[in-house]
Amino acid sequence: EHPAGRDSHAVQLLRLLRLFRVVRAARLLRAMPDLMILIKGLGVAIRSVLYTFALLLFIIYIFSIACTQLASRSTLGSM
């Protein structure tokens, strides 16, 4: 048998093992509905935190441009 054929069998086996892990995790989530509620809550919270972080970065960027412009006009900027 060709060595590449053995490699493809190994990849298929690894994919199958990964699928079993996913199924086991899904079964665990179904067995504990409270855990699923916590995971959904974390997803919503992470989304809110990311939006807040993006807004904060935008505000810092705008203020950094404004401060750079103001500093370039002052005598301190020419030192």
Side-chain angles (χ1 to χ4, degrees), residues 22-77:
V22 169
V23 169
R24 189 175 62 188
R27 202 174 339 139
L28 176 67
L29 287 176
R30 202 174 312 128
M32 296 184 202
D34 294 340
L35 185 61
M36 192 62 188
I37 292 171
L38 283 173
I39 290 174
K40 285 181 182 178
L42 281 173
V44 171
I46 288 173
R47 194 175 317 140
S48 298
V49 167
L50 286 178
Y51 287 144
T52 305
F53 183 68
L55 183 62
L56 183 63
L57 283 178
F58 179 71
I59 291 170
I60 290 172
Y61 180 72
I62 295 299
F63 273 96
S64 67
I65 291 173
C67 289
T68 302
Q69 291 298 317
L70 288 173
S72 67
R73 293 185 199 145
S74 71
T75 57
L76 288 175

Side-chain angles (χ1 to χ4, degrees), residues 2-31:
H2 197 270
R6 279 189 240 136
D7 288 343
S8 68
H9 289 301
V11 170
Q12 287 177 351
L13 180 64
L14 287 175
R15 285 182 181 170
L16 186 63
L17 290 174
R18 189 181 325 167
L19 179 65
F20 282 135
R21 283 181 28 200
V22 169
V23 169
R24 189 175 62 188
R27 202 174 339 139
L28 176 67
L29 287 176
R30 202 174 312 128

